[in-house]
Amino acid sequence: MDVRVLVTGTIAFLAFVWYLARGMRQLQAKPPPQKGLQPARYSDPGTCARILACKGYDSTGVKNLYNEVRSRAIPNQRLVHAYGIDNSFTTTEAKRRREFNEEAGKAIKMTEAKVGIPSETTLLPFSPKKNTDVDVMQWQEVATFANELVRQAVSPSKLTTSGETKFAILDSLTRSVCLKIIFHVLFKLDPLNLDDGNISTITERINSLWIQSKNTETPVESDKLDLQEALARVIPQMKRSNARENPLNLILPAYETLWRVVLSGFLQVTFVKGVDPTLRSVLAQFLANPTITVRRGLVRGPEASTVSVDLIVKEALRLYPSVKRVYRQFHMDNGAGPEDVAADVESCQRTKALWGANADRFVPSRWINATDEAKKSYMAFGVSPFVCPAQAEFGPMMIGILVAAFADQVSSDGWHLELDESSWNVAQRGLDKALNGEEPLVSDRSTYEGIRIIKKWSS
């Protein structure tokens, strides 16, 4: 009896030791998840192109076990949690991606001529897809609205008063104007009649939720609710429970890729020292006659530099891409397991070996003699098979119009810039260097959050 107990106990003990050893081998074979670590970042053009195309991050031919749509969608699930969206950036379904791209393409279809636009701008049935056969937007109308929106926003009655100073917060102003124009284009709303309180809530909550999602925080439910309620007040027909009909599916890609490049482009052509004055006159001509032909038309400046609105927009997007870093998740067929990587588009597009020693300066005329290799490093609108549908016309036209509208209403002769008292001294020094042309503007969403444009008063 005692022998049997001893043998049984010994077998159980050996089995337990084997189990522990097996568990240790498994732990050694599979490292713990690297939560909180930053993804590997690449900036050389060839690697960036492969990452954006979801092909991998090296040229050895190792296969990505994920399909392209999945590699793109996984890092963007943070947007699903923050905004409740389901679009081509977040879906893993090829069919849904095609459907959304078709819907987006129709929503941003524009024309230079008036085609059936109603005499009064009214809220039409919610889905842009249903409206595109009824009326097609007109670029001249967009330009007129954009200019009027900026004019009203910087009028004395709308400026904040502090003592004898009247000012506006530039990033809030830019976000508001851009979002109102997006609502006009996508949902046929009259941008001049949109409630400023609702627009402010929407822009602020989009921004806060974006930051929360990037910092791996759980999105604050009250922020999500505020956003949805403000959207519902602007678009009463919206369906909150259906992710595929969430208006943010269209709003986010259009608005988030627009406002920062408009802000940077406007600062660059208006307040940075040493910028060719021809740029502002070229933009003014385009604002008065916003056609594709005028946008592309080349104008020779006083310093023998050749510019166009098209080149101004390209240079703004080269130096200040709407998306600085693009994230993908790959599962390479090398036993490493899934891993997140980032294409540093901003650094890629500032490569001095391709763009010259002044690659970090704003020089639109550089595009006239840009080499094919340099042009290949320009990925502001993505690469195939994920090229933004706004690349051909909508993006360049919209950016050009909005930068022109801001430049038309706010000049360095009548306004000056400063950071508010709460901003760090280092941010002020960075802004001063950028405005002196010593270094590029910093395009992080919160770096110059306190920039005020202050009205100059003649004595």
Side-chain angles (χ1 to χ4, degrees):
M1 179 69 177
D2 291 340
V3 173
R4 286 197 302 271
V5 171
L6 179 61
V7 170
T8 302
T10 301
I11 292 173
F13 175 77
L14 291 174
F16 178 70
V17 170
W18 174 84
Y19 176 81
L20 287 178
R22 178 175 176 269
M24 289 301 295
R25 285 196 301 272
Q26 288 179 332
L27 287 174
Q28 291 171 355
K30 185 178 181 180
Q34 303 296 307
K35 186 175 182 179
L37 294 181
Q38 290 296 319
R41 188 183 300 176
Y42 300 86
S43 60
D44 65 282
T47 304
C48 283
R50 285 192 291 273
I51 292 173
L52 265 64
C54 294
K55 301 298 183 184
Y57 53 86
D58 60 39
S59 56
T60 61
V62 177
K63 182 181 178 182
N64 177 22
L65 298 179
Y66 289 162
N67 64 39
E68 296 163 348
V69 176
R70 187 178 183 189
S71 282
R72 186 196 200 193
I74 292 174
N76 290 328
Q77 293 311 296
R78 65 184 182 87
L79 304 178
V80 176
H81 301 310
Y83 303 108
I85 61 174
D86 178 6
N87 60 21
S88 64
F89 297 91
T90 63
T91 186
T92 58
E93 300 175 13
K95 180 182 178 182
R96 170 59 181 156
R97 175 176 169 259
R98 289 192 301 270
E99 290 174 348
F100 178 81
N101 286 343
E102 179 182 350
E103 178 185 7
K106 289 182 178 180
I108 63 175
K109 184 178 180 181
M110 309 284 277
T111 183
E112 296 175 1
K114 197 175 183 74
V115 182
I117 296 179
S119 56
E120 296 182 4
T121 308
T122 55
L123 176 63
L124 300 180
F126 169 70
S127 172
K129 189 172 181 180
K130 297 176 182 177
N131 298 329
T132 51
D133 294 333
V134 178
D135 55 62
V136 185
M137 299 303 300
Q138 180 190 22
W139 282 120
Q140 181 62 64
E141 185 180 56
V142 171
T144 301
F145 274 136
N147 202 35
E148 180 62 15
L149 284 170
V150 180
R151 189 197 68 78
Q152 289 186 11
V154 298
S155 63
S157 63
K158 289 293 185 75
L159 296 176
T160 300
T161 301
S162 177
E164 296 183 356
T165 302
K166 286 184 175 291
F167 65 90
I169 303 300
L170 184 55
D171 63 336
S172 298
L173 168 61
T174 308
R175 290 171 184 164
S176 174
V177 170
C178 289
L179 184 62
K180 287 178 179 180
I181 287 295
I182 290 300
F183 273 126
H184 172 57
V185 171
L186 296 182
F187 309 116
K188 314 303 184 288
L189 294 170
D190 182 349
L192 301 179
N193 287 330
L194 293 174
D195 179 75
D196 287 335
N198 288 331
I199 295 298
S200 178
T201 298
I202 293 169
T203 59
E204 289 173 5
R205 295 302 178 267
I206 286 177
N207 195 56
S208 63
L209 287 168
W210 191 279
I211 294 171
Q212 291 168 33
S213 72
K214 291 196 73 172
N215 293 337
T216 67
E217 300 175 15
T218 301
V220 177
E221 288 299 321
S222 61
D223 285 353
K224 295 167 67 174
L225 182 60
D226 287 348
L227 174 58
Q228 292 299 319
E229 290 181 345
L231 281 170
R233 289 192 291 270
V234 175
I235 309 172
Q237 289 90 335
M238 68 173 283
K239 298 179 180 179
R240 299 193 195 191
S241 60
N242 190 333
R244 294 195 174 188
E245 295 190 33
N246 186 340
L248 289 170
N249 286 329
L250 289 167
I251 293 170
L252 281 177
Y255 164 74
E256 270 296 324
T257 57
L258 184 64
W259 74 266
R260 278 191 293 171
V261 69
V262 169
L263 173 58
S264 299
F266 159 64
L267 288 175
Q268 190 72 61
V269 302
T270 304
F271 291 102
V272 175
K273 292 180 180 178
V275 172
D276 188 345
T278 307
L279 303 186
R280 288 178 61 85
S281 63
V282 169
L283 286 165
Q285 293 172 31
F286 175 63
L287 186 64
N289 187 19
T291 66
I292 295 171
T293 300
V294 174
R295 193 193 87 220
R296 294 174 177 170
L298 295 172
V299 177
R300 186 171 295 278
E303 301 176 1
S305 61
T306 303
V307 296
S308 68
V309 173
D310 210 35
L311 300 186
I312 293 171
V313 171
K314 278 187 176 180
E315 185 69 347
L317 285 167
R318 183 193 69 83
L319 204 55
Y320 311 112
S322 300
V323 181
K324 294 171 59 176
R325 285 176 284 277
V326 176
Y327 295 89
R328 301 285 191 250
Q329 186 175 105
F330 298 123
H331 189 177
M332 306 307 292
D333 193 12
N334 57 9
E339 54 186 321
D340 294 326
V341 298
D344 190 338
V345 176
E346 182 181 76
S347 295
C348 174
Q349 295 184 165
R350 297 180 182 182
T351 302
K352 292 185 177 181
L354 297 174
W355 293 102
N358 66 349
D360 57 357
R361 295 192 61 192
F362 186 80
V363 185
S365 60
R366 76 169 73 246
W367 284 88
I368 298 294
N369 298 311
T371 65
D372 289 341
E373 287 302 308
K375 292 177 181 178
K376 287 179 182 177
S377 73
Y378 177 69
M379 305 177 192
F381 288 100
V383 301
S384 180
F386 299 114
V387 176
C388 176
Q391 179 184 35
E393 300 301 343
F394 182 82
M397 289 292 288
M398 189 63 71
I399 293 168
I401 285 172
L402 285 163
V403 171
F406 275 96
D408 183 64
Q409 295 295 329
V410 180
S411 69
S412 58
D413 294 333
W415 300 78
H416 70 274
L417 299 178
E418 69 175 35
L419 290 170
D420 63 26
E421 296 81 358
S422 64
S423 301
W424 292 349
N425 289 333
V426 65
Q428 181 68 62
R429 290 197 298 272
L431 177 61
D432 289 343
K433 286 184 177 181
L435 296 181
N436 284 328
E438 299 173 30
E439 57 187 39
L441 295 161
V442 179
S443 56
D444 290 345
R445 90 177 31 242
S446 59
T447 300
Y448 298 141
E449 201 166 51
I451 287 184
R452 300 190 297 184
I453 51 170
I454 300 177
K455 182 70 176 177
K456 296 180 183 177
W457 300 104
S458 56
S459 55

